[in-house]
Amino acid sequence: MLKYIFNFFLLLISISGLAQDAKKKDSIIPKTTSYGLRFGIDAVKIIRTFQEKDYRGLELVGDFRLTKKRYLAAEIGNENKTVNDDHLSFTTKGTFLKVGFDYNAYENWLGMQNMLYVGMRYGVSSFNQTLNSYKIYNPNQYFNENSIIEPNEKFNGLSAQWIEIVAGIKAEVYTNLFVGFSVRLNKLITNKQPDNFENLYIPGFNRTYSGTFGAGFNYTISYLVPIFKTVSKVNKVNIKPKK
């Protein structure tokens, strides 16, 4: 009986030694981290351009990894949007630029580059508005109709600035190819508008709804161009020799 027990303990010791050797081998695998420029497009604006007759838009996105968790980020684009409400029709054309940063809160496994991030943007937009038509309420309902005015009045030199709070994800679906989704909450800082007409739509900001707050989202497809890679320090497992 003692012989079998002794052999059993020898087997356990042998298995433990093999497991420690395997762990030691795994522990000395160097971990590489890619740093580079990631650029892409907002697919939502492309899809809307083909599906909506009153919209044309394009947005290019990009970011650059500064540290393990922090990224510089920017978006640039243009929009041409016609809004037809019950009492008002107008067209907005202009460009926008957003710059800021992202912080990745996701802890990646070895070799992964996914992101679950929050960030902030500072946005600026330069645009013009064209008042296509508007209705004037007619108190005399004998003819049961309102007056429609079509001034086609254009307002140039308009601009706006705002702050965006961003939250989103980016997933690597293939080597260096990413898809992502983000939501944005916007707060206007400055808003240059005509004296007799409000900026109801701002390129890059979206609808203002006669206020200072807005919201938006995007769905991006981007590609990472690695510029350099870093190798983390080897974390060896200290195994004390057993007598």
Side-chain angles (χ1 to χ4, degrees), residues 96-160:
F96 62 89
L97 171 66
K98 308 176 190 178
V99 293
F101 66 91
D102 291 328
Y103 178 82
N104 185 16
Y106 186 75
E107 202 64 43
N108 282 296
W109 292 3
L110 181 65
M112 295 175 62
Q113 302 181 86
N114 299 325
M115 292 181 65
L116 176 63
Y117 65 93
V118 294
M120 183 177 289
R121 303 285 189 275
Y122 180 79
V124 295
S125 180
S126 177
F127 55 98
N128 62 67
Q129 303 260 26
T130 300
L131 180 58
N132 301 320
S133 64
Y134 61 92
K135 294 181 181 180
I136 297 178
Y137 176 71
N138 186 0
N140 186 356
Q141 297 297 318
Y142 181 78
F143 296 102
N144 194 27
E145 63 180 12
N146 297 324
S147 299
I148 299 178
I149 309 299
E150 297 182 353
N152 290 321
E153 186 176 2
K154 189 174 184 179
F155 306 94
N156 295 311
L158 307 178
S159 63

Short mmCIF file of all heavy atoms in Angstrom, two decimals, residues 96-160:
data_model
loop_
_atom_site.label_atom_id
_atom_site.label_comp_id
_atom_site.label_asym_id
_atom_site.label_seq_id
_atom_site.Cartn_x
_atom_site.Cartn_y
_atom_site.Cartn_z
N PHE A 96 -17.12 70.46 -41.46
CA PHE A 96 -16.89 70.43 -40.01
C PHE A 96 -15.59 69.71 -39.70
O PHE A 96 -15.08 68.91 -40.51
CB PHE A 96 -18.06 69.75 -39.29
CG PHE A 96 -18.27 68.32 -39.67
CD1 PHE A 96 -17.62 67.27 -39.02
CD2 PHE A 96 -19.14 67.99 -40.71
CE1 PHE A 96 -17.83 65.95 -39.38
CE2 PHE A 96 -19.35 66.66 -41.08
CZ PHE A 96 -18.69 65.65 -40.42
N LEU A 97 -15.06 69.99 -38.52
CA LEU A 97 -13.83 69.36 -38.03
C LEU A 97 -13.98 69.14 -36.53
O LEU A 97 -14.43 70.03 -35.80
CB LEU A 97 -12.61 70.24 -38.31
CG LEU A 97 -11.29 69.79 -37.67
CD1 LEU A 97 -10.82 68.47 -38.28
CD2 LEU A 97 -10.23 70.87 -37.82
N LYS A 98 -13.60 67.93 -36.08
CA LYS A 98 -13.64 67.60 -34.66
C LYS A 98 -12.29 67.02 -34.26
O LYS A 98 -11.76 66.15 -34.95
CB LYS A 98 -14.73 66.57 -34.35
CG LYS A 98 -16.11 66.93 -34.86
CD LYS A 98 -17.09 65.79 -34.59
CE LYS A 98 -18.41 65.99 -35.29
NZ LYS A 98 -19.33 64.86 -35.06
N VAL A 99 -11.74 67.50 -33.15
CA VAL A 99 -10.48 66.97 -32.63
C VAL A 99 -10.65 66.71 -31.15
O VAL A 99 -11.41 67.40 -30.46
CB VAL A 99 -9.31 67.96 -32.87
CG1 VAL A 99 -9.01 68.09 -34.35
CG2 VAL A 99 -9.61 69.31 -32.26
N GLY A 100 -9.95 65.69 -30.65
CA GLY A 100 -10.05 65.37 -29.23
C GLY A 100 -9.25 64.13 -28.88
O GLY A 100 -8.21 63.86 -29.48
N PHE A 101 -9.75 63.36 -27.94
CA PHE A 101 -9.03 62.19 -27.45
C PHE A 101 -10.01 61.09 -27.08
O PHE A 101 -11.20 61.34 -26.86
CB PHE A 101 -8.19 62.55 -26.22
CG PHE A 101 -9.01 62.94 -25.01
CD1 PHE A 101 -9.42 61.98 -24.09
CD2 PHE A 101 -9.40 64.26 -24.81
CE1 PHE A 101 -10.19 62.33 -22.99
CE2 PHE A 101 -10.18 64.60 -23.71
CZ PHE A 101 -10.57 63.64 -22.80
N ASP A 102 -9.51 59.86 -27.03
CA ASP A 102 -10.27 58.69 -26.56
C ASP A 102 -9.45 57.98 -25.49
O ASP A 102 -8.21 57.95 -25.55
CB ASP A 102 -10.56 57.72 -27.71
CG ASP A 102 -11.55 58.28 -28.71
OD1 ASP A 102 -12.42 59.06 -28.30
OD2 ASP A 102 -11.43 57.94 -29.91
N TYR A 103 -10.16 57.39 -24.54
CA TYR A 103 -9.52 56.57 -23.49
C TYR A 103 -10.11 55.17 -23.56
O TYR A 103 -11.33 55.00 -23.43
CB TYR A 103 -9.75 57.18 -22.11
CG TYR A 103 -9.16 56.34 -20.99
CD1 TYR A 103 -7.81 56.44 -20.66
CD2 TYR A 103 -9.95 55.44 -20.27
CE1 TYR A 103 -7.26 55.67 -19.65
CE2 TYR A 103 -9.41 54.66 -19.27
CZ TYR A 103 -8.07 54.78 -18.96
OH TYR A 103 -7.52 54.01 -17.97
N ASN A 104 -9.25 54.18 -23.77
CA ASN A 104 -9.69 52.80 -23.90
C ASN A 104 -9.77 52.14 -22.52
O ASN A 104 -8.76 51.97 -21.84
CB ASN A 104 -8.73 52.03 -24.79
CG ASN A 104 -9.20 50.61 -25.07
OD1 ASN A 104 -10.36 50.28 -24.85
ND2 ASN A 104 -8.31 49.76 -25.56
N ALA A 105 -10.99 51.75 -22.13
CA ALA A 105 -11.19 51.10 -20.84
C ALA A 105 -11.18 49.58 -20.93
O ALA A 105 -11.36 48.90 -19.91
CB ALA A 105 -12.52 51.57 -20.23
N TYR A 106 -10.94 49.05 -22.13
CA TYR A 106 -10.97 47.59 -22.31
C TYR A 106 -9.59 47.00 -22.10
O TYR A 106 -8.59 47.51 -22.61
CB TYR A 106 -11.47 47.26 -23.72
CG TYR A 106 -11.68 45.79 -23.98
CD1 TYR A 106 -12.76 45.12 -23.44
CD2 TYR A 106 -10.77 45.07 -24.76
CE1 TYR A 106 -12.95 43.76 -23.67
CE2 TYR A 106 -10.96 43.72 -25.00
CZ TYR A 106 -12.04 43.07 -24.46
OH TYR A 106 -12.22 41.73 -24.69
N GLU A 107 -9.53 45.92 -21.35
CA GLU A 107 -8.26 45.23 -21.08
C GLU A 107 -8.12 44.09 -22.09
O GLU A 107 -8.76 43.05 -21.95
CB GLU A 107 -8.25 44.70 -19.66
CG GLU A 107 -6.86 44.44 -19.11
CD GLU A 107 -6.01 45.69 -18.98
OE1 GLU A 107 -6.53 46.73 -18.52
OE2 GLU A 107 -4.84 45.61 -19.37
N ASN A 108 -7.28 44.30 -23.09
CA ASN A 108 -7.13 43.32 -24.17
C ASN A 108 -6.30 42.12 -23.74
O ASN A 108 -5.42 42.23 -22.88
CB ASN A 108 -6.46 43.98 -25.38
CG ASN A 108 -7.43 44.82 -26.17
OD1 ASN A 108 -8.39 44.32 -26.74
ND2 ASN A 108 -7.18 46.12 -26.22
N TRP A 109 -6.59 40.98 -24.35
CA TRP A 109 -5.75 39.81 -24.21
C TRP A 109 -4.52 39.98 -25.09
O TRP A 109 -4.38 40.95 -25.84
CB TRP A 109 -6.51 38.55 -24.60
CG TRP A 109 -7.62 38.18 -23.67
CD1 TRP A 109 -8.03 38.88 -22.57
CD2 TRP A 109 -8.47 37.04 -23.77
NE1 TRP A 109 -9.07 38.25 -21.96
CE2 TRP A 109 -9.38 37.11 -22.67
CE3 TRP A 109 -8.56 35.98 -24.65
CZ2 TRP A 109 -10.35 36.15 -22.46
CZ3 TRP A 109 -9.53 35.02 -24.43
CH2 TRP A 109 -10.41 35.11 -23.34
N LEU A 110 -3.63 39.00 -25.03
CA LEU A 110 -2.39 39.05 -25.80
C LEU A 110 -2.69 39.13 -27.29
O LEU A 110 -3.41 38.30 -27.84
CB LEU A 110 -1.55 37.80 -25.51
CG LEU A 110 -0.20 37.72 -26.21
CD1 LEU A 110 0.71 38.83 -25.73
CD2 LEU A 110 0.44 36.36 -25.96
N GLY A 111 -2.17 40.19 -27.94
CA GLY A 111 -2.32 40.36 -29.38
C GLY A 111 -3.60 41.04 -29.83
O GLY A 111 -3.77 41.30 -31.01
N MET A 112 -4.54 41.33 -28.91
CA MET A 112 -5.80 41.97 -29.28
C MET A 112 -5.67 43.49 -29.23
O MET A 112 -4.87 44.03 -28.46
CB MET A 112 -6.92 41.50 -28.35
CG MET A 112 -7.25 40.03 -28.45
SD MET A 112 -8.49 39.50 -27.24
CE MET A 112 -9.90 40.48 -27.74
N GLN A 113 -6.48 44.19 -30.05
CA GLN A 113 -6.43 45.65 -30.11
C GLN A 113 -7.83 46.26 -30.08
O GLN A 113 -8.08 47.30 -30.68
CB GLN A 113 -5.69 46.10 -31.37
CG GLN A 113 -4.28 45.57 -31.49
CD GLN A 113 -3.59 46.05 -32.75
OE1 GLN A 113 -2.99 47.13 -32.77
NE2 GLN A 113 -3.65 45.27 -33.80
N ASN A 114 -8.77 45.61 -29.42
CA ASN A 114 -10.14 46.11 -29.35
C ASN A 114 -10.23 47.30 -28.40
O ASN A 114 -9.36 47.51 -27.54
CB ASN A 114 -11.08 44.99 -28.90
CG ASN A 114 -11.08 43.82 -29.86
OD1 ASN A 114 -10.95 43.99 -31.07
ND2 ASN A 114 -11.20 42.60 -29.33
N MET A 115 -11.33 48.04 -28.56
CA MET A 115 -11.52 49.23 -27.72
C MET A 115 -12.95 49.31 -27.20
O MET A 115 -13.91 49.04 -27.93
CB MET A 115 -11.22 50.51 -28.52
CG MET A 115 -9.79 50.70 -28.92
SD MET A 115 -9.53 52.25 -29.83
CE MET A 115 -9.95 53.46 -28.56
N LEU A 116 -13.08 49.66 -25.94
CA LEU A 116 -14.33 50.08 -25.31
C LEU A 116 -13.99 51.41 -24.66
O LEU A 116 -13.36 51.45 -23.61
CB LEU A 116 -14.80 49.05 -24.29
CG LEU A 116 -16.05 49.40 -23.49
CD1 LEU A 116 -17.25 49.55 -24.40
CD2 LEU A 116 -16.31 48.36 -22.42
N TYR A 117 -14.38 52.51 -25.29
CA TYR A 117 -13.77 53.79 -24.96
C TYR A 117 -14.78 54.89 -24.67
O TYR A 117 -15.95 54.82 -25.04
CB TYR A 117 -12.86 54.24 -26.10
CG TYR A 117 -13.58 54.54 -27.39
CD1 TYR A 117 -14.01 55.82 -27.70
CD2 TYR A 117 -13.83 53.53 -28.33
CE1 TYR A 117 -14.66 56.10 -28.88
CE2 TYR A 117 -14.48 53.80 -29.52
CZ TYR A 117 -14.89 55.09 -29.79
OH TYR A 117 -15.55 55.36 -30.96
N VAL A 118 -14.29 55.91 -24.00
CA VAL A 118 -14.98 57.18 -23.81
C VAL A 118 -14.03 58.28 -24.25
O VAL A 118 -12.80 58.09 -24.25
CB VAL A 118 -15.41 57.40 -22.35
CG1 VAL A 118 -16.47 56.39 -21.93
CG2 VAL A 118 -14.21 57.32 -21.41
N GLY A 119 -14.58 59.42 -24.65
CA GLY A 119 -13.72 60.48 -25.12
C GLY A 119 -14.45 61.81 -25.20
O GLY A 119 -15.60 61.95 -24.78
N MET A 120 -13.75 62.77 -25.77
CA MET A 120 -14.28 64.13 -25.90
C MET A 120 -13.77 64.72 -27.20
O MET A 120 -12.66 64.42 -27.65
CB MET A 120 -13.87 64.99 -24.70
CG MET A 120 -14.43 66.40 -24.72
SD MET A 120 -13.98 67.33 -23.23
CE MET A 120 -15.00 66.49 -22.02
N ARG A 121 -14.61 65.56 -27.82
CA ARG A 121 -14.24 66.25 -29.04
C ARG A 121 -14.58 67.75 -28.92
O ARG A 121 -15.54 68.12 -28.25
CB ARG A 121 -15.00 65.71 -30.26
CG ARG A 121 -14.83 64.24 -30.51
CD ARG A 121 -13.49 63.89 -31.11
NE ARG A 121 -13.49 62.49 -31.52
CZ ARG A 121 -13.21 61.48 -30.68
NH1 ARG A 121 -12.91 61.72 -29.42
NH2 ARG A 121 -13.23 60.23 -31.12
N TYR A 122 -13.75 68.54 -29.61
CA TYR A 122 -14.07 69.96 -29.80
C TYR A 122 -14.40 70.13 -31.27
O TYR A 122 -13.56 69.86 -32.14
CB TYR A 122 -12.88 70.84 -29.40
CG TYR A 122 -13.13 72.32 -29.57
CD1 TYR A 122 -13.87 73.02 -28.64
CD2 TYR A 122 -12.64 73.00 -30.68
CE1 TYR A 122 -14.11 74.38 -28.80
CE2 TYR A 122 -12.87 74.35 -30.85
CZ TYR A 122 -13.61 75.03 -29.90
OH TYR A 122 -13.86 76.37 -30.05
N GLY A 123 -15.62 70.55 -31.58
CA GLY A 123 -16.07 70.62 -32.96
C GLY A 123 -16.26 72.04 -33.45
O GLY A 123 -16.69 72.92 -32.69
N VAL A 124 -15.93 72.28 -34.71
CA VAL A 124 -16.17 73.57 -35.37
C VAL A 124 -16.80 73.29 -36.73
O VAL A 124 -16.52 72.28 -37.37
CB VAL A 124 -14.86 74.38 -35.55
CG1 VAL A 124 -14.29 74.78 -34.21
CG2 VAL A 124 -13.83 73.59 -36.35
N SER A 125 -17.66 74.19 -37.15
CA SER A 125 -18.35 74.03 -38.43
C SER A 125 -18.51 75.39 -39.11
O SER A 125 -18.79 76.39 -38.44
CB SER A 125 -19.73 73.39 -38.23
OG SER A 125 -20.39 73.23 -39.46
N SER A 126 -18.32 75.41 -40.44
CA SER A 126 -18.55 76.59 -41.25
C SER A 126 -19.54 76.21 -42.34
O SER A 126 -19.32 75.23 -43.06
CB SER A 126 -17.22 77.07 -41.86
OG SER A 126 -17.44 78.19 -42.72
N PHE A 127 -20.63 76.99 -42.49
CA PHE A 127 -21.71 76.56 -43.36
C PHE A 127 -22.57 77.74 -43.81
O PHE A 127 -22.36 78.89 -43.39
CB PHE A 127 -22.59 75.54 -42.63
CG PHE A 127 -23.15 76.02 -41.32
CD1 PHE A 127 -24.44 76.51 -41.23
CD2 PHE A 127 -22.37 75.99 -40.16
CE1 PHE A 127 -24.95 76.96 -40.04
CE2 PHE A 127 -22.89 76.43 -38.95
CZ PHE A 127 -24.17 76.92 -38.88
N ASN A 128 -23.53 77.44 -44.67
CA ASN A 128 -24.54 78.42 -45.08
C ASN A 128 -25.91 77.77 -45.03
O ASN A 128 -26.03 76.55 -45.09
CB ASN A 128 -24.24 78.99 -46.48
CG ASN A 128 -24.26 77.91 -47.55
OD1 ASN A 128 -25.30 77.32 -47.85
ND2 ASN A 128 -23.10 77.64 -48.14
N GLN A 129 -26.93 78.61 -44.90
CA GLN A 129 -28.32 78.14 -44.85
C GLN A 129 -29.12 78.85 -45.94
O GLN A 129 -28.95 80.05 -46.18
CB GLN A 129 -28.96 78.48 -43.50
CG GLN A 129 -28.23 77.92 -42.29
CD GLN A 129 -28.88 76.66 -41.75
OE1 GLN A 129 -29.54 75.93 -42.49
NE2 GLN A 129 -28.69 76.39 -40.47
N THR A 130 -29.99 78.07 -46.60
CA THR A 130 -30.90 78.65 -47.59
C THR A 130 -32.33 78.40 -47.15
O THR A 130 -32.74 77.24 -46.96
CB THR A 130 -30.67 78.03 -48.98
OG1 THR A 130 -29.32 78.27 -49.40
CG2 THR A 130 -31.62 78.64 -50.00
N LEU A 131 -33.07 79.48 -46.96
CA LEU A 131 -34.48 79.37 -46.60
C LEU A 131 -35.28 79.17 -47.88
O LEU A 131 -35.45 80.09 -48.67
CB LEU A 131 -34.93 80.63 -45.86
CG LEU A 131 -36.39 80.68 -45.41
CD1 LEU A 131 -36.73 79.52 -44.49
CD2 LEU A 131 -36.70 82.01 -44.73
N ASN A 132 -35.74 77.94 -48.10
CA ASN A 132 -36.44 77.62 -49.34
C ASN A 132 -37.88 78.14 -49.35
O ASN A 132 -38.32 78.76 -50.31
CB ASN A 132 -36.44 76.10 -49.56
CG ASN A 132 -35.03 75.54 -49.63
OD1 ASN A 132 -34.14 76.14 -50.23
ND2 ASN A 132 -34.82 74.39 -49.00
N SER A 133 -38.62 77.85 -48.30
CA SER A 133 -40.02 78.28 -48.23
C SER A 133 -40.50 78.21 -46.79
O SER A 133 -39.92 77.51 -45.95
CB SER A 133 -40.91 77.40 -49.11
OG SER A 133 -40.93 76.06 -48.64
N TYR A 134 -41.58 78.96 -46.51
CA TYR A 134 -42.23 78.89 -45.20
C TYR A 134 -43.69 79.27 -45.36
O TYR A 134 -44.09 79.94 -46.33
CB TYR A 134 -41.52 79.78 -44.18
CG TYR A 134 -41.51 81.25 -44.52
CD1 TYR A 134 -42.51 82.11 -44.08
CD2 TYR A 134 -40.46 81.78 -45.29
CE1 TYR A 134 -42.48 83.45 -44.40
CE2 TYR A 134 -40.43 83.11 -45.62
CZ TYR A 134 -41.46 83.96 -45.16
OH TYR A 134 -41.43 85.29 -45.50
N LYS A 135 -44.50 78.84 -44.42
CA LYS A 135 -45.93 79.10 -44.46
C LYS A 135 -46.30 80.19 -43.46
O LYS A 135 -45.77 80.23 -42.35
CB LYS A 135 -46.72 77.84 -44.14
CG LYS A 135 -46.60 76.73 -45.18
CD LYS A 135 -47.44 75.52 -44.78
CE LYS A 135 -47.30 74.40 -45.82
NZ LYS A 135 -48.11 73.21 -45.45
N ILE A 136 -47.21 81.03 -43.87
CA ILE A 136 -47.76 82.07 -42.99
C ILE A 136 -49.20 81.70 -42.67
O ILE A 136 -50.01 81.46 -43.57
CB ILE A 136 -47.68 83.46 -43.65
CG1 ILE A 136 -46.22 83.85 -43.89
CG2 ILE A 136 -48.38 84.50 -42.78
CD1 ILE A 136 -46.07 85.19 -44.57
N TYR A 137 -49.50 81.65 -41.39
CA TYR A 137 -50.84 81.27 -40.97
C TYR A 137 -51.85 82.35 -41.37
O TYR A 137 -51.64 83.54 -41.13
CB TYR A 137 -50.87 81.06 -39.46
CG TYR A 137 -52.24 80.77 -38.91
CD1 TYR A 137 -52.87 79.55 -39.16
CD2 TYR A 137 -52.92 81.73 -38.15
CE1 TYR A 137 -54.13 79.29 -38.66
CE2 TYR A 137 -54.18 81.48 -37.65
CZ TYR A 137 -54.78 80.25 -37.91
OH TYR A 137 -56.03 80.00 -37.41
N ASN A 138 -52.93 81.91 -41.99
CA ASN A 138 -53.99 82.82 -42.43
C ASN A 138 -55.18 82.69 -41.48
O ASN A 138 -55.83 81.63 -41.44
CB ASN A 138 -54.42 82.47 -43.86
CG ASN A 138 -55.41 83.47 -44.42
OD1 ASN A 138 -55.81 84.43 -43.76
ND2 ASN A 138 -55.82 83.25 -45.67
N PRO A 139 -55.47 83.72 -40.68
CA PRO A 139 -56.58 83.62 -39.72
C PRO A 139 -57.95 83.51 -40.40
O PRO A 139 -58.91 83.03 -39.81
CB PRO A 139 -56.47 84.91 -38.90
CG PRO A 139 -55.75 85.86 -39.81
CD PRO A 139 -54.83 85.05 -40.62
N ASN A 140 -58.05 83.94 -41.67
CA ASN A 140 -59.31 83.85 -42.40
C ASN A 140 -59.39 82.45 -43.02
O ASN A 140 -58.73 82.14 -44.01
CB ASN A 140 -59.35 84.92 -43.49
CG ASN A 140 -60.71 84.95 -44.18
OD1 ASN A 140 -61.59 84.12 -43.90
ND2 ASN A 140 -60.89 85.91 -45.08
N GLN A 141 -60.17 81.58 -42.44
CA GLN A 141 -60.28 80.19 -42.87
C GLN A 141 -61.37 79.97 -43.93
O GLN A 141 -61.79 78.85 -44.15
CB GLN A 141 -60.57 79.31 -41.65
CG GLN A 141 -59.44 79.31 -40.61
CD GLN A 141 -58.16 78.74 -41.17
OE1 GLN A 141 -58.18 77.74 -41.89
NE2 GLN A 141 -57.03 79.38 -40.86
N TYR A 142 -61.79 81.08 -44.57
CA TYR A 142 -62.86 80.94 -45.58
C TYR A 142 -62.37 80.07 -46.74
O TYR A 142 -63.09 79.22 -47.24
CB TYR A 142 -63.28 82.32 -46.09
CG TYR A 142 -64.38 82.26 -47.11
CD1 TYR A 142 -65.72 82.05 -46.72
CD2 TYR A 142 -64.10 82.39 -48.48
CE1 TYR A 142 -66.73 81.97 -47.66
CE2 TYR A 142 -65.10 82.32 -49.41
CZ TYR A 142 -66.43 82.11 -49.01
OH TYR A 142 -67.42 82.04 -49.95
N PHE A 143 -61.10 80.31 -47.14
CA PHE A 143 -60.53 79.51 -48.22
C PHE A 143 -59.75 78.31 -47.70
O PHE A 143 -59.27 77.49 -48.48
CB PHE A 143 -59.62 80.37 -49.09
CG PHE A 143 -60.35 81.48 -49.80
CD1 PHE A 143 -60.29 82.78 -49.33
CD2 PHE A 143 -61.12 81.20 -50.92
CE1 PHE A 143 -60.97 83.79 -49.98
CE2 PHE A 143 -61.79 82.22 -51.59
CZ PHE A 143 -61.72 83.52 -51.11
N ASN A 144 -59.63 78.23 -46.38
CA ASN A 144 -59.00 77.07 -45.72
C ASN A 144 -57.60 76.79 -46.28
O ASN A 144 -57.25 75.68 -46.65
CB ASN A 144 -59.87 75.82 -45.86
CG ASN A 144 -59.41 74.71 -44.92
OD1 ASN A 144 -58.83 74.98 -43.87
ND2 ASN A 144 -59.70 73.48 -45.29
N GLU A 145 -56.79 77.85 -46.37
CA GLU A 145 -55.43 77.66 -46.85
C GLU A 145 -54.52 78.71 -46.23
O GLU A 145 -54.96 79.78 -45.82
CB GLU A 145 -55.36 77.74 -48.37
CG GLU A 145 -55.77 79.08 -48.94
CD GLU A 145 -55.67 79.10 -50.46
OE1 GLU A 145 -55.51 78.01 -51.05
OE2 GLU A 145 -55.75 80.20 -51.03
N ASN A 146 -53.22 78.38 -46.14
CA ASN A 146 -52.21 79.30 -45.63
C ASN A 146 -51.34 79.79 -46.78
O ASN A 146 -51.24 79.14 -47.82
CB ASN A 146 -51.34 78.60 -44.58
CG ASN A 146 -52.15 78.17 -43.37
OD1 ASN A 146 -53.08 78.87 -42.98
ND2 ASN A 146 -51.79 77.04 -42.79
N SER A 147 -50.71 80.92 -46.56
CA SER A 147 -49.84 81.50 -47.58
C SER A 147 -48.47 80.83 -47.53
O SER A 147 -47.89 80.66 -46.45
CB SER A 147 -49.70 83.00 -47.36
OG SER A 147 -50.97 83.63 -47.45
N ILE A 148 -47.95 80.43 -48.67
CA ILE A 148 -46.63 79.83 -48.78
C ILE A 148 -45.69 80.83 -49.44
O ILE A 148 -45.92 81.25 -50.58
CB ILE A 148 -46.67 78.52 -49.58
CG1 ILE A 148 -47.59 77.50 -48.89
CG2 ILE A 148 -45.27 77.94 -49.74
CD1 ILE A 148 -47.73 76.20 -49.66
N ILE A 149 -44.64 81.19 -48.73
CA ILE A 149 -43.65 82.14 -49.23
C ILE A 149 -42.39 81.37 -49.62
O ILE A 149 -41.91 80.53 -48.87
CB ILE A 149 -43.31 83.21 -48.17
CG1 ILE A 149 -44.60 83.83 -47.62
CG2 ILE A 149 -42.40 84.28 -48.76
CD1 ILE A 149 -45.45 84.52 -48.66
N GLU A 150 -41.87 81.64 -50.81
CA GLU A 150 -40.65 80.99 -51.28
C GLU A 150 -39.59 82.06 -51.57
O GLU A 150 -39.37 82.45 -52.72
CB GLU A 150 -40.94 80.17 -52.54
CG GLU A 150 -41.92 79.02 -52.30
CD GLU A 150 -42.16 78.19 -53.55
OE1 GLU A 150 -41.67 78.60 -54.62
OE2 GLU A 150 -42.82 77.15 -53.45
N PRO A 151 -38.90 82.51 -50.54
CA PRO A 151 -37.92 83.58 -50.75
C PRO A 151 -36.60 83.10 -51.37
O PRO A 151 -35.90 83.89 -51.99
CB PRO A 151 -37.69 84.11 -49.33
CG PRO A 151 -37.92 82.91 -48.46
CD PRO A 151 -39.00 82.10 -49.14
N ASN A 152 -36.26 81.82 -51.13
CA ASN A 152 -34.95 81.30 -51.55
C ASN A 152 -33.82 82.23 -51.10
O ASN A 152 -32.91 82.56 -51.87
CB ASN A 152 -34.90 81.11 -53.07
CG ASN A 152 -35.78 79.96 -53.53
OD1 ASN A 152 -35.85 78.92 -52.87
ND2 ASN A 152 -36.47 80.15 -54.64
N GLU A 153 -33.89 82.60 -49.84
CA GLU A 153 -32.91 83.52 -49.27
C GLU A 153 -31.74 82.73 -48.68
O GLU A 153 -31.93 81.81 -47.89
CB GLU A 153 -33.57 84.38 -48.20
CG GLU A 153 -32.68 85.47 -47.64
CD GLU A 153 -33.42 86.36 -46.65
OE1 GLU A 153 -34.61 86.09 -46.39
OE2 GLU A 153 -32.81 87.31 -46.15
N LYS A 154 -30.52 83.13 -49.04
CA LYS A 154 -29.33 82.40 -48.60
C LYS A 154 -28.56 83.22 -47.57
O LYS A 154 -28.36 84.43 -47.74
CB LYS A 154 -28.43 82.11 -49.81
CG LYS A 154 -27.27 81.17 -49.50
CD LYS A 154 -26.51 80.82 -50.78
CE LYS A 154 -25.39 79.81 -50.51
NZ LYS A 154 -24.67 79.44 -51.75
N PHE A 155 -28.12 82.54 -46.51
CA PHE A 155 -27.37 83.18 -45.44
C PHE A 155 -25.97 82.55 -45.41
O PHE A 155 -25.82 81.35 -45.11
CB PHE A 155 -28.06 82.99 -44.09
CG PHE A 155 -29.49 83.45 -44.07
CD1 PHE A 155 -30.53 82.55 -44.31
CD2 PHE A 155 -29.80 84.77 -43.84
CE1 PHE A 155 -31.84 82.96 -44.28
CE2 PHE A 155 -31.13 85.20 -43.82
CZ PHE A 155 -32.15 84.30 -44.05
N ASN A 156 -24.94 83.35 -45.70
CA ASN A 156 -23.57 82.87 -45.75
C ASN A 156 -22.79 83.25 -44.50
O ASN A 156 -23.25 84.06 -43.68
CB ASN A 156 -22.85 83.44 -46.99
CG ASN A 156 -23.45 82.93 -48.29
OD1 ASN A 156 -23.66 81.73 -48.46
ND2 ASN A 156 -23.73 83.85 -49.21
N GLY A 157 -21.61 82.67 -44.36
CA GLY A 157 -20.71 83.04 -43.27
C GLY A 157 -21.17 82.60 -41.89
O GLY A 157 -20.80 83.21 -40.89
N LEU A 158 -21.94 81.52 -41.81
CA LEU A 158 -22.41 81.03 -40.52
C LEU A 158 -21.38 80.06 -39.92
O LEU A 158 -20.62 79.42 -40.65
CB LEU A 158 -23.76 80.33 -40.67
CG LEU A 158 -24.85 81.15 -41.38
CD1 LEU A 158 -26.12 80.33 -41.51
CD2 LEU A 158 -25.11 82.45 -40.65
N SER A 159 -21.37 79.94 -38.61
CA SER A 159 -20.40 79.07 -37.95
C SER A 159 -20.93 78.63 -36.59
O SER A 159 -21.85 79.24 -36.04
CB SER A 159 -19.05 79.76 -37.79
OG SER A 159 -19.18 80.90 -36.95
N ALA A 160 -20.34 77.57 -36.06
CA ALA A 160 -20.71 77.07 -34.74
C ALA A 160 -19.53 76.31 -34.15
O ALA A 160 -18.69 75.76 -34.87
CB ALA A 160 -21.94 76.16 -34.82
#
